Amino acid sequence: MNKNFTMTGVMGWPVAHSRSPLIHNHWIAQHGLTGAYGLFTVEQGNLADAIRGLRALGLAGSNITIPHKVEAMKYMDWIDPLAQRMGAINTIVVQADGALHGFNHDGFGFIQSLLEAQPTWRAEAGPAVVLGAGGAARAIIVSLMDAGAPEIRLINRTHSKAQDLAQELGAIVHPVNWRDRDTALQGASLLVNTTNQGMQGEPALDIALTHLPSSALVCDAIYIPLETPLLQSARERGNATVNGLGMLLHQARPAFHAWFGVMPEVTPALYQKLRATLA
Ligand code: NAP
């Protein structure tokens, strides 16, 4: 690795929309470090070569995003056990001896974003309802389990995927049929949307919140728009809400720490900078 200049970035396809350069380059400047974070457009089929290139080019590592988070695991010399359970990596750290280590910080980002929005929030408080069974759901469910959630109701449009994931992750994850999603909210203390429904260009998530306790925290992994129709209806009926921006910001912190040796903070100024790009 080049000792004078620390280079990292994100590999994905498409990747031009990624806000990660803004986040990491903000921290590099804030801490007076010498380095840069770039965008690497890596099409499917080129991932193995691109990852091998990290070492050859002397990079500190990289983030991995859609669609490579699962395939990238194949090319690691070591994978953090948490990332193994999540079944995907979002960060590669090149070690001093050139070994490639894989991590997944999405779950960390999710839990930190909840605590930032509501410092008294505790996973132990009651059942969580997770909508969706894709990559984001896996990371969020594992992190909720580790944080002490007593029960996780997993609801996915394709029920077999919820069943498979529940079987893989353990007995506290209960698959619930998509058609029962409204009543499954009864007694929940947390509701998380990890589907793409409500994202810009997609229809709103089709769910009625009538059975959801008003004390429940409602989260959406989506951050474009910042307030999805789900979050809007939750807010209007008095539930506290958290959008996906905090998850995006907080997942970046441990990666930055691994590459640059500084644990950065998510400040109001950084939020403001990011929000300005989403307006
Ligand atoms: P993914 O693996 O492709 O999963 C997508 C999920 O959405 C699946 O469960 C899928 O259900 C469901 N879905 C798709 N169309 C649907 C519909 N019409 N009705 C109901 N459910 C539908 O995607 P992902 O990587 O988990 O990402 C999911 C969301 O999380 C995206 O909006 C992404 O932007 C967001 N995300 C945010 C962050 C962050 O840092 N804030 C990080 C990661 C992801 P089926 O199984 O039935 O297809």
Side-chain angles (χ1 to χ4, degrees), residues 209 218 220 226-239 241:
L209 301 181
V218 180
D220 208 317
L226 285 168
E227 185 173 69
T228 57
L230 169 70
L231 293 190
Q232 186 186 343
S233 35
R235 177 177 54 77
E236 284 170 357
R237 69 191 289 282
N239 292 89
T241 63

Short mmCIF file of all heavy atoms in Angstrom, two decimals, residues 209 218 220 226-239 241:
data_model
loop_
_atom_site.label_atom_id
_atom_site.label_comp_id
_atom_site.label_asym_id
_atom_site.label_seq_id
_atom_site.Cartn_x
_atom_site.Cartn_y
_atom_site.Cartn_z
N LEU A 209 -51.44 1.03 8.26
CA LEU A 209 -50.78 1.07 9.57
C LEU A 209 -51.76 1.02 10.75
O LEU A 209 -51.35 1.17 11.90
CB LEU A 209 -49.90 2.32 9.66
CG LEU A 209 -48.80 2.46 8.60
CD1 LEU A 209 -47.99 3.73 8.83
CD2 LEU A 209 -47.87 1.24 8.59
N VAL A 218 -40.89 3.69 13.09
CA VAL A 218 -41.06 3.25 11.69
C VAL A 218 -39.85 3.70 10.87
O VAL A 218 -39.53 4.89 10.83
CB VAL A 218 -42.37 3.80 11.08
CG1 VAL A 218 -42.52 3.34 9.64
CG2 VAL A 218 -43.57 3.35 11.92
N ASP A 220 -37.41 3.36 7.17
CA ASP A 220 -37.35 2.98 5.77
C ASP A 220 -35.88 2.99 5.35
O ASP A 220 -35.17 3.98 5.63
CB ASP A 220 -38.16 3.97 4.92
CG ASP A 220 -38.68 3.31 3.67
OD1 ASP A 220 -37.90 2.57 3.04
OD2 ASP A 220 -39.85 3.53 3.33
N LEU A 226 -36.39 11.33 0.78
CA LEU A 226 -36.07 11.27 2.21
C LEU A 226 -37.29 10.84 3.03
O LEU A 226 -37.16 10.13 4.01
CB LEU A 226 -35.57 12.63 2.70
CG LEU A 226 -34.15 12.97 2.27
CD1 LEU A 226 -33.83 14.42 2.54
CD2 LEU A 226 -33.14 12.05 2.98
N GLU A 227 -38.48 11.29 2.59
CA GLU A 227 -39.69 10.83 3.27
C GLU A 227 -40.53 10.03 2.29
O GLU A 227 -41.15 10.60 1.39
CB GLU A 227 -40.50 11.99 3.87
CG GLU A 227 -41.68 11.45 4.67
CD GLU A 227 -42.44 12.53 5.45
OE1 GLU A 227 -43.10 13.35 4.80
OE2 GLU A 227 -42.37 12.53 6.69
N THR A 228 -40.54 8.72 2.45
CA THR A 228 -41.35 7.86 1.58
C THR A 228 -42.80 7.99 2.01
O THR A 228 -43.10 8.44 3.12
CB THR A 228 -40.91 6.39 1.73
OG1 THR A 228 -41.03 6.04 3.12
CG2 THR A 228 -39.48 6.18 1.27
N PRO A 229 -43.75 7.56 1.16
CA PRO A 229 -45.16 7.58 1.58
C PRO A 229 -45.38 6.82 2.89
O PRO A 229 -46.18 7.23 3.72
CB PRO A 229 -45.88 6.90 0.41
CG PRO A 229 -45.00 7.18 -0.79
CD PRO A 229 -43.59 7.16 -0.26
N LEU A 230 -44.62 5.73 3.11
CA LEU A 230 -44.74 4.98 4.38
C LEU A 230 -44.38 5.89 5.56
O LEU A 230 -45.12 5.95 6.55
CB LEU A 230 -43.82 3.75 4.37
CG LEU A 230 -43.66 3.05 5.73
CD1 LEU A 230 -44.95 2.34 6.13
CD2 LEU A 230 -42.50 2.07 5.72
N LEU A 231 -43.25 6.56 5.46
CA LEU A 231 -42.82 7.43 6.57
C LEU A 231 -43.78 8.60 6.76
O LEU A 231 -44.06 9.00 7.89
CB LEU A 231 -41.39 7.94 6.33
CG LEU A 231 -40.28 6.89 6.36
CD1 LEU A 231 -38.91 7.57 6.34
CD2 LEU A 231 -40.38 5.96 7.57
N GLN A 232 -44.32 9.09 5.65
CA GLN A 232 -45.27 10.21 5.76
C GLN A 232 -46.53 9.76 6.52
O GLN A 232 -46.97 10.43 7.45
CB GLN A 232 -45.65 10.72 4.37
CG GLN A 232 -46.51 11.97 4.45
CD GLN A 232 -47.03 12.43 3.10
OE1 GLN A 232 -46.52 12.03 2.05
NE2 GLN A 232 -48.04 13.27 3.12
N SER A 233 -47.08 8.59 6.15
CA SER A 233 -48.31 8.19 6.86
C SER A 233 -48.01 7.83 8.30
O SER A 233 -48.84 8.07 9.18
CB SER A 233 -49.09 7.09 6.13
OG SER A 233 -48.24 6.21 5.49
N ALA A 234 -46.82 7.28 8.57
CA ALA A 234 -46.45 6.96 9.95
C ALA A 234 -46.35 8.25 10.78
O ALA A 234 -46.88 8.34 11.88
CB ALA A 234 -45.13 6.21 9.98
N ARG A 235 -45.68 9.24 10.20
CA ARG A 235 -45.53 10.53 10.92
C ARG A 235 -46.88 11.17 11.18
O ARG A 235 -47.15 11.64 12.28
CB ARG A 235 -44.64 11.47 10.07
CG ARG A 235 -44.46 12.85 10.68
CD ARG A 235 -43.51 13.72 9.87
NE ARG A 235 -43.83 13.86 8.46
CZ ARG A 235 -44.78 14.64 7.96
NH1 ARG A 235 -45.52 15.37 8.76
NH2 ARG A 235 -45.00 14.71 6.65
N GLU A 236 -47.76 11.11 10.16
CA GLU A 236 -49.07 11.77 10.30
C GLU A 236 -49.94 11.11 11.38
O GLU A 236 -50.80 11.76 11.96
CB GLU A 236 -49.80 11.78 8.95
CG GLU A 236 -49.20 12.83 8.03
CD GLU A 236 -49.69 12.77 6.59
OE1 GLU A 236 -50.48 11.85 6.25
OE2 GLU A 236 -49.26 13.62 5.80
N ARG A 237 -49.69 9.81 11.66
CA ARG A 237 -50.49 9.17 12.72
C ARG A 237 -49.74 9.17 14.07
O ARG A 237 -50.18 8.54 15.03
CB ARG A 237 -50.93 7.77 12.31
CG ARG A 237 -49.81 6.76 12.21
CD ARG A 237 -50.27 5.50 11.54
NE ARG A 237 -51.19 4.70 12.33
CZ ARG A 237 -50.85 3.90 13.32
NH1 ARG A 237 -49.58 3.80 13.68
NH2 ARG A 237 -51.73 3.18 13.97
N GLY A 238 -48.57 9.83 14.11
CA GLY A 238 -47.90 10.05 15.39
C GLY A 238 -46.72 9.14 15.68
O GLY A 238 -46.15 9.20 16.77
N ASN A 239 -46.35 8.26 14.74
CA ASN A 239 -45.18 7.40 14.99
C ASN A 239 -43.89 8.18 14.72
O ASN A 239 -43.85 9.01 13.82
CB ASN A 239 -45.20 6.18 14.06
CG ASN A 239 -46.32 5.23 14.38
OD1 ASN A 239 -47.43 5.36 13.85
ND2 ASN A 239 -46.06 4.29 15.26
N THR A 241 -40.25 8.40 13.12
CA THR A 241 -39.77 7.81 11.86
C THR A 241 -38.27 8.04 11.66
O THR A 241 -37.71 9.01 12.18
CB THR A 241 -40.51 8.41 10.64
OG1 THR A 241 -40.23 9.81 10.58
CG2 THR A 241 -42.02 8.20 10.73
#
